[in-house]
Amino acid sequence: MKTYSFHYGDQMIDCSLDEKRIIGELHMAETPVIEDPEAAIKEALAHPIDSKPFKELFKAGETVAIIANDTTRIANTHVFMPIILDELNEVGIPDENIKIIFALGTHRDMTEAEMISEVGIEAAGRVAMYNSSSKKKEDFVHVGTTSFGTDVWLNRHVVEADHIICTGSVVHHFFAGFGGGRKAILPGVASYETIRQNHSLMLDDKATLGHLEGNPIYDDQMEGVAMCPPTFLLNVVLNGEKEFTGVFAGDYIAAHKTACDFVNSQNGVVIERQAPIVIASTGGYPKDINIYQSQKTMDNAVRAVAPGGVVILLAECREGSGSPIFDETVNDFHSIQAIEDSVRRDFQIGRHKAYAVTRLMKKADFYLMSSLDDEYARKAFFTPVHSLEEALKLAEAKLGKDAEILLMPHGSYTVPILK
């Protein structure tokens, strides 16, 4: 027997397992950690990809909107934000000409404390900060309509600035291909209806993880962002311990694609075969803040589990599902097929996530260890468990005591690729 540890919220969960049954423990490639992130960021700004150096793109007295991640996506923004502000100051753009806009998409507003935590106390004390609240219609400006029929409404703080700087982190995304890049703007600072129209394209078979060009979600987003293009992009890549492994800056398309190639090499993990049992942790808070965020780990885990198998998911979900419409959907529809039918009939943000979660349960059972109420977990088609040991007993009762196990301690970051 060997003891294995998994992140769960802010805690670690230990479990003793028979090593002979473990056929793999998936980790990202051991990409070197950047020892001096500040120096790497300054170097990336000075020598960007397919772009003039950062300082040559701005003039004294201009206005700048910097788009930053919200609390659900880790980018270590507090490290690079003061550097960006300092460099803008050096070319004659004062702090009062700079705004930070948090790319909420359809997520809840951030509190002032969360804003300060995200960008750091120094940056927060220097510039104005705003939530891009997707349902506040008066905050958005119409900039055009894509060939897919998406009406593009973007936050006026972004549209009205002389320059837009997109920041964030890059990871695989289950229907948009990859996060980062253009997603800072659409869906990041887009209106609710714009996001709803764009996300409805996820029902297309080409809207898949790791796929950009030809993916209608990506192509639609790129058309929308081209109507209000950013001047510069700074994207980072982190490892499972939230350390910097890559910094990519420059043209918002070229720098992002370079980052995506890097993510593929770091996060893609080849497996010899799928396992009857997969134990997957999201990697802890905030990746397991709610079902919405935990779904990314579910999508990765289902690639590693054999058909008819079991995924044991460790996801605290301290903020519940993350969406009132998700709650409404699982309360109103009592089968997985009924949820899918409802999404195809009337696509709604929140309901789409219920579809994204429950469609995976057609392949495998999901045993969920979380802080969710058991009754609610069952309505969402999970099997609630209260410990890893309980989950394993249930899985063994279904699949046998010798069933092989595959471990995903950083499930939101590791993408299994079947050899």
Side-chain angles (χ1 to χ4, degrees):
M1 302 294 284
K2 180 180 176 180
T3 299
Y4 296 87
S5 297
F6 302 90
H7 289 277
Y8 175 81
D10 296 320
Q11 312 170 45
M12 296 298 293
I13 302 291
D14 294 334
C15 184
S16 295
L17 301 169
D18 182 355
E19 282 186 89
K20 294 175 184 176
R21 294 173 61 190
I22 307 300
I23 64 168
E25 186 173 359
L26 305 192
H27 293 280
M28 291 181 286
E30 292 192 18
T31 313
V33 172
I34 296 173
E35 296 296 336
D36 188 346
E38 289 87 352
I41 291 159
K42 290 176 182 177
E43 174 69 16
L45 296 179
H47 300 95
I49 298 166
D50 280 4
S51 168
K52 292 180 180 179
F54 183 78
K55 289 182 183 177
E56 293 182 20
L57 298 170
F58 306 91
K59 295 178 182 177
E62 292 180 321
T63 59
V64 179
I66 306 173
I67 303 175
N69 278 10
D70 73 356
T71 52
T72 66
R73 295 181 175 88
I74 306 164
N76 292 344
T77 308
H78 64 281
V79 177
F80 58 74
M81 189 61 73
I83 297 172
I84 293 175
L85 297 182
D86 288 346
E87 298 235 343
L88 290 173
N89 289 169
E90 287 175 21
V91 297
I93 298 176
D95 287 342
E96 54 265 31
N97 284 22
I98 305 168
K99 297 176 180 177
I100 295 173
I101 318 299
F102 289 100
L104 303 185
T106 61
H107 301 165
R108 66 163 176 81
D109 281 7
M110 295 168 65
T111 64
E112 184 177 359
E114 287 172 332
M115 290 179 176
I116 294 170
S117 175
E118 195 66 25
V119 303
I121 195 163
E122 181 201 343
R126 290 171 60 178
V127 300
M129 302 185 294
Y130 301 89
N131 282 310
S132 182
S133 304
S134 65
K135 291 189 176 180
K136 289 184 180 176
K137 293 183 179 180
E138 65 274 16
D139 286 356
F140 295 87
V141 177
H142 188 254
V143 296
T145 303
T146 72
S147 65
F148 293 86
T150 299
D151 291 313
V152 182
W153 292 77
L154 301 178
N155 191 286
R156 65 172 60 254
H157 290 299
V158 173
V159 175
E160 293 170 359
D162 293 323
H163 296 280
I164 303 165
I165 299 172
C166 291
T167 73
S169 55
V170 181
V171 294
H172 288 94
H173 189 280
F174 77 104
F175 66 71
F178 291 87
R182 80 289 169 205
K183 280 184 92 259
I185 293 179
L186 203 173
V189 294
S191 74
Y192 183 90
E193 181 59 18
T194 298
I195 298 168
R196 189 195 69 78
Q197 290 176 1
N198 172 255
H199 283 16
S200 70
L201 299 169
M202 71 175 283
L203 298 171
D204 190 295
D205 291 341
K206 295 186 182 73
T208 57
L209 183 147
H211 179 204
L212 292 179
E213 282 87 356
N215 178 334
I217 293 281
Y218 176 79
D219 292 342
D220 187 49
Q221 290 171 343
M222 290 298 286
E223 284 188 31
V225 172
M227 298 169 187
C228 189
T231 299
F232 199 81
L233 172 83
L234 175 63
N235 274 173
V236 301
V237 178
L238 310 176
N239 63 18
E241 302 305 319
K242 306 172 187 176
E243 299 166 310
F244 289 97
T245 56
V247 179
F248 303 88
D251 174 76
Y252 77 98
I253 300 173
H256 178 248
K257 286 184 177 177
T258 305
C260 292
D261 289 341
F262 183 87
V263 169
N264 262 336
S265 66
Q266 174 180 278
N267 295 32
V269 185
V270 175
I271 59 175
E272 294 288 334
R273 62 186 182 278
Q274 294 175 320
I277 301 173
V278 172
I279 301 175
S281 162
T282 66
Y285 181 85
K287 291 295 183 181
D288 67 355
I289 191 172
N290 52 34
I291 296 177
Y292 234 73
Q293 295 305 314
S294 301
Q295 180 266 327
K296 296 168 187 175
T297 294
M298 294 176 64
D299 241 278
N300 290 342
V302 86
R303 291 169 166 257
V305 70
V310 168
V311 174
I312 299 171
L313 178 65
L314 306 180
E316 185 186 39
C317 300
R318 66 177 66 172
E319 293 191 5
S321 72
S323 164
I325 298 178
F326 186 106
D327 299 338
E328 179 185 298
T329 302
V330 299
N331 281 316
D332 289 351
F333 298 98
H334 306 300
S335 74
I336 292 171
Q337 189 59 48
I339 290 175
E340 179 175 342
D341 292 344
S342 73
V343 170
R344 292 188 179 279
R345 188 170 57 247
D346 177 23
F347 190 93
Q348 295 295 331
I349 301 294
R351 188 177 294 173
H352 86 292
K353 203 66 154 184
Y355 162 69
V357 166
T358 58
R359 67 177 177 173
L360 304 175
M361 296 165 178
K362 291 182 176 181
K363 180 182 179 182
D365 291 337
F366 280 80
Y367 298 172
L368 175 64
M369 180 177 168
S370 73
S371 61
L372 295 172
D373 176 77
D374 283 2
E375 182 182 358
Y376 179 87
R378 290 189 187 95
K379 285 183 177 179
F381 302 96
F382 292 101
T383 298
V385 294
H386 303 98
S387 68
L388 255 176
E389 290 74 17
E390 178 190 352
L392 279 166
K393 283 182 181 178
L394 287 174
E396 289 166 356
K398 176 185 178 181
L399 301 165
K401 291 194 174 183
D402 295 323
E404 293 178 323
I405 302 170
L406 192 147
L407 308 179
M408 297 180 65
H410 294 284
S412 64
Y413 289 103
T414 44
V415 178
I417 300 167
L418 188 61
K419 190 171 181 180

